[in-house]
Amino acid sequence: MEHRPGRRRGIAAIVLLVLGAVILGGVTVAKAVNPPSRYTEGKAVGWTMTPTYTNGESIYLEPVAKGGLRRGDVVLASVPWSLQKTQMNRVVAVGGDRIQYKPSSKVAGQYRLVLNGTPLDEPYLEQWKNPSAVAFNVKVPKGYVFLMADNRMNSDGSQYANNGPVPADKVTAKVVAYPMAKLAVWGQLAGALVLLLGGVLAGVSRRARGRAGRAAAAPAAGPAVIPAPAAAQPEPGEGGGEGAGEQAPVAAQPGPGDAQAPVGPGGRADVPS
């Protein structure tokens, strides 16, 4: 079978483009499927939980079981400092914990909250921001939770003295990571990358075919051939030559300055000695 330049790349490009379209289509269908009944889909409002959640981002909620709140949980709670019905916050401490912060002190070169005498690791915070704008030292009562938003420099929370810990029964729902939501994000990225790679291979294949077509259309270069001059054809002679078409030799005629020997009787030239 004749080999065509760029044929393999073209086939690979078609396969990748089809695969990318299938992935994106499948992700779109998966996102349209409703989550399990125990989940309720909602939207994040405001910027108090950035960078974890941004305004308008889809969130999934589930009911909170009695005693089911843990440190680090993101929740919706009815809090006294918010004008909204509920606000998203993070549980930093639970009943019986002591939580404190001193802006004048650092732990391992970084400002941190101190929970029960141990520096609290908070990877969800932006590292260049302080964990609190104010100092506090609070013992959380039983049945209460200490709530703070992730955007600490631009939010309210239990760290302020006029707010304080919130009763646990004011927490209305827990924000959970719905697996299909994470899968959809990665699926969209994978589909886009596959489509991009397919487009690049299609372009490479097209250029290869174009170069091959131009090379085939160009005339083949070879050595130049110079035609030989045609041989002079003798004119048929008059009189009796031996061969047909042979021309008798022509005697040279003396020029005006050439010396001529006198011709004697009988046609003999007398040459002076």
Side-chain angles (χ1 to χ4, degrees):
M1 186 174 65
E2 182 183 358
H3 174 70
R4 290 181 294 174
R7 182 171 179 271
R8 292 182 179 178
R9 292 191 183 97
I11 294 174
I14 293 174
V15 172
L16 289 175
L17 290 173
V18 172
L19 180 60
V22 170
I23 292 175
L24 287 180
V27 170
T28 302
V29 173
K31 288 183 67 177
V33 176
N34 291 327
S37 57
R38 72 176 186 274
Y39 293 155
T40 302
E41 186 174 1
K43 297 286 185 182
V45 178
W47 305 94
T48 59
M49 286 298 293
T50 56
T52 308
Y53 294 99
T54 58
N55 184 46
E57 183 176 348
S58 294
I59 57 175
Y60 295 88
L61 311 171
E62 68 175 2
V64 179
K66 185 177 181 180
L69 293 177
R70 299 180 179 179
R71 304 181 193 94
D73 286 345
V74 178
V75 298
L76 284 183
S78 176
V79 293
W81 58 81
S82 176
L83 297 177
Q84 301 173 5
K85 185 176 181 180
T86 57
Q87 188 182 60
M88 197 174 350
N89 288 273
R90 187 180 295 275
V91 177
V92 178
V94 296
D97 290 337
R98 178 169 292 278
I99 184 77
Q100 56 185 325
Y101 176 68
K102 294 181 179 180
S104 60
S105 62
K106 289 184 179 181
V107 178
Q110 182 180 348
Y111 293 107
R112 289 188 185 183
L113 303 182
V114 177
L115 176 66
N116 299 326
T118 303
L120 182 62
D121 186 19
E122 297 185 283
Y124 40 81
L125 295 182
E126 294 176 334
Q127 296 301 317
W128 61 88
K129 291 188 176 180
N130 293 339
S132 176
V134 296
F136 59 87
N137 188 345
V138 176
K139 176 74 174 181
V140 183
K142 292 289 185 180
Y144 282 73
V145 288
F146 193 93
L147 301 178
M148 298 179 73
D150 287 356
N151 187 1
R152 303 282 169 82
M153 299 297 108
N154 191 25
S155 63
D156 213 340
S158 296
Q159 67 268 33
Y160 293 97
N162 56 333
N163 296 335
V166 176
D169 58 9
K170 295 294 183 181
V171 176
T172 59
K174 185 188 297 185
V175 181
V176 295
Y178 177 44
M180 186 55 67
K182 297 293 184 182
L183 180 62
V185 173
W186 287 108
Q188 287 174 332
L189 290 176
L193 288 175
V194 171
L195 284 176
L196 178 62
L197 182 57
V200 171
L201 282 179
V204 172
S205 175
R206 182 178 299 178
R207 286 195 295 271
R209 291 196 301 268
R211 287 194 298 266
R214 289 191 296 270
V225 179
I226 302 176
Q233 298 295 330
E235 297 181 357
E238 297 179 358
E242 292 184 359
E246 292 183 358
Q247 187 175 5
V250 179
Q253 300 296 326
D258 294 340
Q260 299 182 2
V263 179
R268 183 177 63 84
D270 295 330
V271 180
S273 56

